[in-house]
Amino acid sequence: MSYARVLCAGLTGVTGHLVEVEADLSMGLPALVLTGLPDTALHEARDRVRAAVLNSGRDWPNRRITVNLLPAGLPKHGSGFDVAVAVAILISAGDLAPERLEGVALLGELGLDGTVRPIRGVLPMVAAVARTGVARVIVPLENAREAGLVPGVTVRAVDSLRRLAEFARGDGLLLDPPPIPADVPRPEPDLAEISGMRAARYALEIAAAGGHHLALVGPPGAGKTMLAERLPSILPELDDEAALEVTALQSIAGTLPSGGGLLRRPPFQAPHHSASTASLVGGGPGLARPGAMSLAHRGVLFLDEITEVARSTLQALREPLESGRVVLARVRGITEYPARVQLVVASNPCPCASPAGDQHCVCSRTARRRYQQRMSGPLLDRIDIKVAVQPLRAAQLNDLSVPPEPSAVVAARVARARDAARARWSATGWSLNSEIPGPALRRPPWGLPPPDTEVLRRALDRGALSARGFDRALRLAWTIADLDGRDRPGPGDVAEAYQLRMGELTVQDRERSDDAA
């Protein structure tokens, strides 16, 4: 037999594809030719595969070997095809029987000594082959738990090419996937650790309930970073679909924890303010890798010191925040990653950044204005809630009379508000108030009476609000009503949403609205 075909899988972005690996032996000068748009790493498989085959005790065919990867027009990236290429060559040379590997997808990278090494992106690859009807896969031992997360697929593992060859010849057995350890909850930062800051905590709760973007402005040490780090603790756990998406992205990036199991907690990404555009939105040579924005998909992206981030980098966030995806165009194709994130930004109010706030600020009005203008105006217009975080007084910091609410209590209110929004929008396919298109909130049956939105209409007419800001304030009003248990927002909710939008809400304002209710 001089021809063989085995199954494998490849990745384009976060999307997996079934790949057929063909091998043909013919007369001619001994050589190994790879076709099917392989990248540099795959081209180098010629030397890896030959050494691995010889060091596994098999004979290397002294013929001209042509290996083709189908579909030929789909770019192939990475070293995950090594095992499939080696097995296809050995079957075509008659060294292995094809029957035991018929209809089985083979994944893995080969070391020169024949060991099978783990690869990135196994989860989306296995999910892709499962969608095509392939029900059995063989993966590296270190990737077996991850592959086992895909339902309906029988997973077996190998640690060496020698073991796989013995299995194909009927002389050995494959390895079972290691058991997934019990899920041990990891400690998270808790809101109970934060004293005071009632207005900022309330804004954080609204942001969590509706999926709204949040800006925190205040002097150093006021607690901006502490608040942002505790936002995931009040978000609900991810459902199966979202958990699969998040886990697949972490797998592609090579950051998936070794314990196995789907990631159920919303991710939190906090890149440094000097991060490049590529590290934030994704990029790199060949197959563009996901950036921090995609790794925060279904979770929180926190940008501290936002005024120090390069303006060009901030501009790159604008389209993904609107569309919920990152599209990276390269010469060899287009890669798309999901990026539906909740953005939280933090900054100092002025260059001097006095810890005491405005009382000891030495900056002129012009200096403050220039400093604040470093943040992109179009990006700022996409942020729903703006909060001034004031420094704590000694009495607030040491007040033990009323313990701060823990994250679990706030998370319960957030979950009830999200359930109300999900029930309301279930017929439309949306689940969060932040996802609702503006026209849907301005037209029947969800449009509010003109008197209720008078404050927004006046702000729009005098240029204080953009049309986008008008719609985002409406979404905020619905979230406020959901948190307070009302089926529709009233004029007080709209006014409060406007204050949150403009950064004007104080604790006293909220207390007055509670009394009025």
Side-chain angles (χ1 to χ4, degrees):
M1 183 176 185
S2 62
Y3 172 83
R5 181 183 67 90
V6 298
L7 301 179
C8 190
L11 278 177
T12 302
V14 76
T15 305
H17 304 277
L18 181 67
V19 175
E20 300 179 20
V21 180
E22 299 178 308
D24 179 76
L25 273 59
S26 60
M27 300 301 294
L29 292 175
L32 173 55
V33 179
L34 284 170
T35 63
L37 294 183
D39 69 349
T40 302
L42 187 48
H43 263 301
E44 293 173 347
R46 295 176 296 184
D47 300 316
R48 287 196 303 272
V49 169
R50 185 177 186 277
V53 168
L54 292 174
N55 290 325
S56 298
R58 320 310 303 181
D59 294 327
W60 183 259
N62 196 26
R63 310 270 294 277
R64 178 179 176 82
I65 306 170
T66 303
V67 174
N68 184 41
L69 289 82
L70 298 173
L74 181 71
K76 317 299 188 305
H77 305 277
S79 56
F81 301 92
D82 288 4
V83 171
V85 170
V87 169
I89 292 173
L90 292 176
I91 292 177
S92 64
D95 195 14
L96 300 181
E99 289 78 16
R100 302 194 75 180
L101 298 176
E102 186 70 30
V104 180
L106 307 174
L107 302 174
E109 175 187 323
L110 286 174
L112 298 184
D113 59 351
T115 57
V116 179
R117 300 179 179 274
I119 59 175
R120 296 179 177 184
V122 164
L123 179 59
M125 289 183 192
V126 174
V129 300
R131 287 193 295 267
T132 65
V134 176
R136 293 187 297 159
V137 296
I138 297 176
V139 300
L141 181 60
E142 292 85 345
N143 294 128
R145 286 174 178 162
E146 179 184 342
L149 298 176
V150 180
V153 177
T154 301
V155 178
R156 291 294 180 266
V158 291
D159 55 1
S160 66
L161 182 60
R162 184 188 297 272
R163 182 186 296 275
L164 182 56
E166 291 174 351
F167 168 77
R169 294 172 65 88
D171 299 331
L173 298 175
L174 299 178
L175 302 173
D176 292 326
I180 297 178
D183 187 18
V184 178
R186 297 182 179 181
E188 283 186 309
D190 198 283
L191 281 175
E193 301 162 350
I194 297 181
S195 301
M197 293 192 287
R198 293 175 57 189
R201 290 169 62 104
Y202 175 63
L204 196 75
E205 183 175 341
I206 293 177
H212 305 289
H213 304 314
L214 174 66
L216 303 169
V217 180
K224 304 184 295 296
T225 301
M226 291 184 66
L227 284 166
E229 290 175 342
R230 283 150 183 78
L231 177 55
S233 70
I234 61 175
L235 295 176
E237 288 197 340
L238 303 174
D239 58 25
D240 290 344
E241 180 182 356
L244 192 62
E245 292 176 354
V246 170
T247 308
L249 284 164
Q250 300 292 331
S251 172
I252 294 170
T255 57
L256 188 65
S258 59
L262 292 175
L263 301 179
R264 292 290 182 179
R265 294 302 305 157
F268 179 82
Q269 290 287 319
H272 192 261
H273 65 261
S274 63
S276 65
T277 302
S279 68
L280 197 58
V281 300
L287 174 65
R289 296 291 182 187
M293 195 168 193
S294 293
L295 296 180
H297 177 60
R298 303 287 186 179
V300 178
L301 176 65
F302 175 48
L303 297 181
D304 202 358
E305 305 295 348
I306 186 71
T307 51
E308 304 298 333
V309 180
R311 192 174 184 85
S312 59
T313 301
L314 293 179
Q315 300 288 45
L317 300 178
R318 290 160 53 182
E319 291 83 0
L321 286 177
E322 292 289 339
S323 63
R325 58 195 181 99
V326 173
V327 180
L328 304 169
R330 296 293 184 268
V331 173
R332 300 188 66 177
I334 296 176
T335 305
E336 181 176 320
Y337 290 110
R340 192 162 295 283
V341 303
Q342 193 167 349
L343 178 65
V344 180
V345 302
S347 71
N348 298 318
C350 62
C352 79
S354 170
D358 295 342
Q359 297 178 6
H360 295 87
C361 178
V362 297
C363 301
S364 66
R365 290 185 178 179
T366 302
R368 291 171 67 94
R369 184 170 61 251
R370 286 176 179 172
Y371 185 79
Q372 294 168 2
Q373 286 176 347
R374 292 183 186 180
M375 185 172 174
S376 166
L379 179 63
L380 190 61
D381 194 48
R382 289 168 167 82
I383 294 178
D384 307 286
I385 302 173
K386 303 175 183 67
V387 180
V389 182
Q390 302 297 336
L392 292 179
R393 303 291 185 183
Q396 295 173 303
L397 189 61
N398 299 299
D399 184 12
L400 302 179
S401 59
V402 181
E405 279 188 318
S407 291
V409 174
V410 180
R413 293 198 297 265
V414 168
R416 287 194 294 270
R418 287 199 172 205
D419 289 342
R422 188 179 298 109
R424 179 173 59 248
W425 308 119
S426 59
T428 64
W430 303 307
S431 60
L432 290 175
N433 290 327
S434 60
E435 300 172 352
I436 312 303
L441 296 178
R442 289 184 264 109
R443 299 170 183 167
W446 308 113
L448 301 178
D452 290 358
T453 60
E454 181 64 24
V455 63
L456 299 183
R457 295 154 66 89
R458 289 200 308 266
L460 182 64
D461 288 342
R462 68 173 184 269
L465 272 183
S466 65
R468 180 194 290 119
F470 185 96
D471 291 339
R472 288 185 175 272
L474 286 179
R475 297 177 187 132
L476 273 178
W478 281 95
T479 300
I480 294 169
D482 288 337
L483 277 172
D484 289 345
R486 294 187 292 275
D487 58 354
R488 293 180 73 89
D493 300 320
V494 175
E496 185 174 316
Y498 175 71
Q499 290 177 310
L500 285 167
R501 171 79 186 173
M502 304 305 293
E504 299 171 353
L505 184 71
T506 65
V507 175
Q508 290 75 19
D509 293 328
R510 180 58 185 169
E511 288 174 345
R512 281 196 294 270
S513 65
D514 288 342
D515 293 340

